[in-house]
Amino acid sequence: MFRTHYCGKITKAELDEEVTLSGWVHRRRDHGGVTFIDLRDREGLVQVVFNPQLSETVHQQAHGLRSEYVIQVTGKVALRLEGTENTSLSTGEIEIHVSDLVILNPSKTPPFLIEDEEEVSESLRLKYRYLDLRRASVQQHFILRHQLSQAVRQFLNDNNFLEADTPYLTKSTPEGARDFLVPSRLNPGTFYALPQSPQLFKQILMISGFDRYYQVVRCFRDEDLRSDRQPEFTQIDLEMSFVDQEEILTLMEKMILKVFSEVQSLQLPEPFPRLTFQEAMDRFGSDKPDTRFGLELKDLCDIARRSDFKVFRTVLEKGGKVKGLNAKACAKLSRKEIENLTDEAMSRGAKGLAWMKVSDIGLEAPITKFFKPELLEEIRKTLEGEAGDLLLFVADKEQVVYDVLGSLRLSLGKRLNLIDSSVFQPLWVTDFPLLAFDGTEKRHVAIHHPFAAPMDEDLPLLESDPLKVRAQAYDLVVNGVELGGGSIRIHKQEIQSKVFELLGISKEDADSKFGFLLEALQYGAPPHGGIAFGFDRMVALLAGVESIREVIPFPKTQKGICLMTDAPSDVDPLQLKELYIKKERAIKAP
RNA sequence: GGGGUCGUAGUUCAGUUGGUUAGAACGCCGGCCUGUCACGCCGGAGGUCGCGAGUUCGAUUCUCGUCGGCCCCGCCA
């Protein structure tokens, strides 16, 4: 038997018992005479003592132990000598007096110390991920991940959801992200795609009468990576039949409340605030606003129209917008700092950044001369300017104004330390538009996805003014992080075909890509809808880490490389031949 | 595809306004040490300054390129 107990779980209850422990040598303190080892396993550390008085041979053996050796010790649990207890250790009152030692496996000196506090570059950590994962603080993230997935499953099971698997080798679909392709050997020249989401299959499951489905499922998207985006990631994916949007939001809110309080004892505000897409854009310049701080955007179109400021008036005449935000207590910023803000604004597409400082006597800036005193006072009132504030204005096309002020708001919020990181601020964003117009592709694209149902009252607009149609779609946003999104789906074939048409997908294309869905919709498809949560993002949020790489056991770098295995890599030409694949260009040798 | 930033012992970093022998801490190796827990003390080893080219009498330092990590824009239904 390798062990009778976990190292970190030994307590005074085992006093005087003989125990056997197996684990890694965390630290060695060799005093020549007595030698101490902190022995580590998943559950924690315990001090084991090698004393020559107990066994000269074992003490000799212990002298040769090194970091990360895997050993097995047998000995008696004893109270530590008075005054030598270690209060920072859960096992700090006891120690193991070792009578027998087996070196199960020696270890090379690790490239970095297995210590929580040790700061190591991420690339080294990922190359030696198995060593990095030995660190308690890193393991903690994965324990949290496990607990969260269990809590979610528990909730969904209790609410009558069935877990079902959907294929990973599936059909490539147009729209959306790039697919990862997998060549089919049995069908030369054809390819499977790895799913970007189980979307179509879960809808088919509803048509099958599963009624409620969920899956904690891996999804794949061949797009560029970010701190919150990996090529493979995990979603909590679910779908329900015979529900409306309200029922889904209510149930999901219950789920989030429950699992957040279960795994992290977080009490979220109840009910979650809701914002329509339009409100979110108007007030925060973003469809995933961080509502933990103010600095809200204010509309100044009306005031600007009455001013003599050409820049603003021209924009308005062309149908643009003028909005502003109040950078609290930023009047003290130097010319240089304001220039930096301007650069930031321009990098987001603004042509410039107008500003005014609020002082005791009113607004001060080169541009105030274009505004009558009463207009200046209106501006100050609208933005609630107090002495010492800096007012920022952007005039441009609506989308640019939102983008620029939305990102300025965020960076100012961070810079001015307005964000209380202990607060969790959830939010439903609803009433998304169904479609947007893609200027480069010169066609409509789906905001959520092509299967989201239009709002019933907007159905007539599908013909007359499609961009005005709102979708029965919703996002869950927490602290500015998009944690999940979903919609009521189209369950009538005619409407689905109509939406494909609006998206510029020909009938032939629709049939060849989604024919199975269009057909299934004609066999008694129930009204249905669902949602998918970004599980990695949720864990990262709860763990308080910036990057989802911290909560994925074996993540990839920004170039999509696994530093541990060196995937992706070249393959044997024979493999390619079997798959009828020929490389067009030789790849550079690594 | 684009912008930014970083790359110096095993690790985290300092440094070099272009110049003989590139430093610190931790880690590692050896010795001493019977109550430590970031043990202590003494000694030691360890470097293609990411890679390549250019400028120069001389490049880790300057220039250009390149590779890689990270952050961001585009992209991500």
Side-chain angles (χ1 to χ4, degrees), chain A residues 158-426:
Chain A
D158 290 347
N159 281 275
N160 212 25
F161 283 76
L162 291 177
E163 184 171 9
D165 297 322
T166 53
Y168 280 171
L169 294 176
T170 179
K171 196 175 167 74
S172 176
T173 54
E175 299 284 310
R178 291 184 188 89
D179 288 319
F180 278 102
L181 296 178
V182 180
S184 164
R185 179 182 58 83
L186 295 175
N187 302 277
T190 65
F191 296 83
Y192 301 101
L194 302 179
Q196 300 173 27
S197 97
Q199 181 60 36
L200 296 177
F201 286 99
K202 66 174 172 174
Q203 289 189 237
I204 298 280
L205 286 174
M206 294 305 100
I207 296 172
S208 313
F210 267 55
D211 198 73
R212 291 184 172 198
Y213 138 94
Y214 81 93
Q215 189 178 186
V216 180
V217 62
R218 200 67 58 80
C219 300
F220 306 85
R221 292 178 191 176
D222 188 9
E223 295 294 344
D224 284 9
L225 281 60
R226 289 280 196 287
S227 53
D228 61 350
R229 278 158 38 183
Q230 283 274 305
E232 52 178 305
F233 59 100
T234 304
Q235 291 200 333
I236 300 162
D237 189 57
L238 59 100
E239 195 79 4
M240 305 165 74
S241 291
F242 305 109
V243 286
D244 57 25
Q245 170 168 328
E246 196 53 42
E247 289 171 83
I248 294 178
L249 296 193
T250 309
L251 185 65
M252 290 302 102
E253 195 163 311
K254 262 174 73 182
M255 178 176 90
I256 296 293
L257 282 165
K258 183 151 194 290
V259 301
F260 275 38
S261 82
E262 248 175 59
V263 305
Q264 222 50 336
S265 306
L266 282 174
Q267 298 307 318
L268 298 179
E270 204 180 339
F272 294 176
R274 294 190 190 186
L275 279 184
T276 66
F277 172 82
Q278 197 54 51
E279 279 178 274
M281 296 306 283
D282 283 340
R283 288 173 56 194
F284 303 100
S286 166
D287 62 355
K288 44 172 181 152
D290 189 335
T291 50
R292 289 174 297 176
F293 65 101
L295 303 188
E296 291 191 21
L297 280 48
K298 302 284 182 191
D299 191 277
L300 300 166
C301 292
D302 180 52
I303 300 173
R305 195 168 290 121
R306 287 179 281 136
S307 76
D308 303 315
F309 193 36
K310 269 244 176 63
V311 176
F312 285 3
R313 295 187 51 157
T314 316
V315 164
L316 288 172
E317 278 156 25
K318 287 197 208 149
K321 281 205 164 178
V322 179
K323 291 179 81 88
L325 74 77
N326 181 348
K328 295 302 288 180
C330 281
K332 59 179 183 296
L333 291 191
S334 66
R335 178 178 295 259
K336 177 88 188 131
E337 286 169 307
I338 293 179
E339 257 174 47
N340 288 343
L341 286 176
T342 308
D343 288 346
E344 201 174 323
M346 290 172 72
S347 75
R348 287 286 184 150
K351 290 175 197 68
L353 182 66
W355 56 267
M356 297 180 190
K357 290 180 175 179
V358 189
S359 75
D360 293 328
I361 52 165
L363 300 184
E364 294 173 7
I367 62 164
T368 53
K369 59 176 175 279
F370 300 114
F371 298 82
K372 295 195 181 71
E374 57 269 30
L375 282 185
L376 290 176
E377 181 55 18
E378 269 189 66
I379 289 174
R380 195 195 59 75
K381 272 198 176 145
T382 307
L383 288 170
E384 291 162 24
E386 295 172 327
D389 292 349
L390 176 70
L391 310 181
L392 302 171
F393 312 93
V394 174
D396 214 305
K397 280 179 287 198
E398 189 177 49
Q399 194 54 52
V400 175
V401 173
Y402 289 146
D403 279 357
V404 172
L405 286 176
S407 74
L408 276 181
R409 173 179 176 270
L410 257 188
S411 66
L412 282 167
K414 285 177 191 152
R415 198 176 325 171
L416 301 175
N417 259 327
L418 300 177
I419 301 173
D420 179 349
S421 59
S422 69
V423 168
F424 283 74
Q425 191 58 253

Side-chain angles (χ1 to χ4, degrees), chain A residues 436-457:
Chain A
F437 191 76
D438 185 318
T440 16
E441 292 194 42
K442 301 260 185 290
R443 65 179 187 98
H444 292 120
V445 293
I447 296 252
H448 183 53
H449 56 51
F451 317 104
M455 287 195 179
D456 290 338
E457 63 265 40

Side-chain angles (χ1 to χ4, degrees), chain A residues 44-62:
Chain A
L45 296 176
V46 68
Q47 172 163 282
V48 301
V49 186
F50 300 89
N51 195 318
Q53 285 169 0
L54 195 61
S55 165
E56 184 56 48
T57 354
V58 168
H59 176 256
Q60 275 296 323
Q61 247 181 313

